[in-house]
Amino acid sequence: MTLRKRSVLIAGHPTSVTLEEPFWETLKDMAVARGLSINALVEEIDGNRDGNLSSALRVAALLWVKGQMPA
């Protein structure tokens, strides 16, 4: 599975996140469904996370696909 590194802004600060391509695709779908940019979605998930950001993004994508996270 291909890993993809993307730069995102969180609270105005750039950071990079590496995820597998299917997770980025799901996060994009989540953002579109909610009328958000990827940066805004990542920032929201970042504000509610307990572990590291990559893990939090993967869990959010999984919960959304399973219908356990609102669009």
Side-chain angles (χ1 to χ4, degrees), residues 14-29:
T15 190
S16 38
V17 181
T18 303
L19 295 173
E20 296 79 5
E21 188 61 34
F23 286 107
W24 284 120
E25 291 171 9
T26 302
L27 290 168
K28 181 180 176 186
D29 292 343

Side-chain angles (χ1 to χ4, degrees), residues 4-65:
R4 183 169 176 201
K5 183 181 269 189
R6 293 184 99 174
S7 293
V8 294
L9 289 175
I10 298 175
H13 300 287
T15 190
S16 38
V17 181
T18 303
L19 295 173
E20 296 79 5
E21 188 61 34
F23 286 107
W24 284 120
E25 291 171 9
T26 302
L27 290 168
K28 181 180 176 186
D29 292 343
M30 289 173 66
V32 167
R34 297 187 57 204
L36 300 172
S37 67
I38 292 265
N39 278 334
L41 179 66
V42 170
E43 190 168 11
E44 180 181 296
I45 293 168
D46 178 62
N48 295 314
R49 70 182 167 108
D50 292 324
N52 71 53
L53 181 56
S54 293
S55 294
L57 293 171
R58 285 184 182 97
V59 169
L62 176 65
L63 292 175
W64 189 75
V65 167

